[in-house]
Amino acid sequence: MRAAALALAFDGLGAARVTSTAFADNAASRAVSRRFGYRPNGVHRIAVDGHPYDAHEEVIEAADWQGCASLVPVGIAGLSDCIPLFH
């Protein structure tokens, strides 16, 4: 799923960077981010139902994605018909 989202953002829509946020205890999500080349971009304290949690933000830039794109090859089809929806 992460590879598909990154391929859409970078290869399909020309994004310069993508951010992802995961709670500190979400080790699986944070491991996927590291595998795809995200870098730490700060920790934010947020409240959920009145309880504080650390949310770790990570960022990946287009140049970093090019090096990781082969981890899980993803194709994009039919995007040109959807481009007006992104405006």
Side-chain angles (χ1 to χ4, degrees), residues 10 15-18 37 39 59-66:
F10 290 124
R17 64 187 285 167
V18 171
R39 293 182 318 278
V59 63
I60 183 172
E61 299 196 15
D64 300 321
W65 165 246
Q66 296 308 316

Side-chain angles (χ1 to χ4, degrees), residues 31-57:
V32 168
S33 293
R34 281 191 304 276
R35 181 169 184 233
F36 279 103
Y38 285 79
R39 293 182 318 278
N41 196 41
V43 178
H44 309 279
R45 184 73 116 172
I46 62 172
V48 177
D49 294 330
H51 297 94
Y53 293 93
D54 286 339
H56 292 252
E57 183 178 287

Side-chain angles (χ1 to χ4, degrees), residues 5-31:
L6 291 172
L8 175 62
F10 290 124
D11 302 334
L13 300 173
R17 64 187 285 167
V18 171
T19 60
S20 178
T21 303
F23 290 119
D25 63 351
N26 192 341
S29 177
R30 297 180 66 208

Side-chain angles (χ1 to χ4, degrees), residues 65-77:
W65 165 246
Q66 296 308 316
C68 295
S70 63
L71 289 175
V72 181
V74 176
I76 300 173

